[in-house]
């Protein structure tokens, strides 16, 4: 099976990525300036990575310059994207695509999804499943009533 076959975008950017070619040009310039850096094209975003840069200080300085260039590009063409700096990256993504919004939409679309997490062993009963956990060594039912169904 092909990698990604059967996958469809969860949220589609409204703008259609008109800004991508201009951003690629700027990031290609950053790659030429900083040996060991690279560009990654994602479904909705483009990321310039400089973790492998031969000169970390040049990578950091170029990241700041790139962010400035991206903001000028955004203002000049009224593009709707956000440019953010992370741990040795500069990511450009459509303003209407946001991981928090995607998670919220996923939770609303998947009404059957139930999840809870607890920081204490005594809270393991918060995690439930329609299919009970079973212990192959004892044959006991796990989960809320069986105790120890999570191996804790």
């Amino acid at each position: 099976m092909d990698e990604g076959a059967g996958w469809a975008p969860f949220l589609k950017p409204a703008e259609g990525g008109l800004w991508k070619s201009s951003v690629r040009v700027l990031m290609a310039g950053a790659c030429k300036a900083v040996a060991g850096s690279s560009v990654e094209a994602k479904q909705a975003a483009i990321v310039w990575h400089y973790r492998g840069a031969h000169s970390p200080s040049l990578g950091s300085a170029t990241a700041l310059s790139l962010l400035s260039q991206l903001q000028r590009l955004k203002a000049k063409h009224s593009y709707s994207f956000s440019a953010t700096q992370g741990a040795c990256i500069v990511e450009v993504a459509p303003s209407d695509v946001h991981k928090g919004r995607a998670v919220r939409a996923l939770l609303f679309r998947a009404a059957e999804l139930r999840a809870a997490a607890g920081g204490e062993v005594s809270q393991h009963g918060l995690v439930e499943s329609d299919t009970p956990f079973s212990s192959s060594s004892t044959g006991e039912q796990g989960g809320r009533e069986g105790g120890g169904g999570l191996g804790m």
Side-chain angles (χ1 to χ4, degrees), residues 61-121:
T62 303
L64 293 175
S65 174
L66 180 57
L67 285 168
S68 178
Q69 293 172 44
L70 290 165
Q71 291 308 320
R72 287 194 300 274
L73 177 70
K74 181 179 176 178
K76 180 179 179 181
H77 296 286
S78 299
Y79 288 143
S80 179
F81 65 73
S82 62
T84 56
Q85 184 175 9
C88 296
I89 66 157
V90 172
E91 181 178 67
V92 180
S95 295
D96 60 339
V97 173
H98 187 272
K99 290 176 186 173
R101 285 189 213 122
V103 169
R104 192 174 321 121
L106 175 64
L107 291 174
F108 281 116
R109 288 183 186 177
E112 71 278 1
L113 178 65
R114 292 178 288 165
E120 302 293 326
V121 174

Side-chain angles (χ1 to χ4, degrees), residues 38-73:
S38 63
V39 175
E40 176 187 11
K42 296 184 175 188
Q43 180 75 28
I46 303 174
V47 184
W48 178 62
H49 296 268
Y50 59 98
R51 182 174 312 279
H54 299 166
S55 171
S57 60
L58 179 59
S60 295
T62 303
L64 293 175
S65 174
L66 180 57
L67 285 168
S68 178
Q69 293 172 44
L70 290 165
Q71 291 308 320
R72 287 194 300 274
L73 177 70

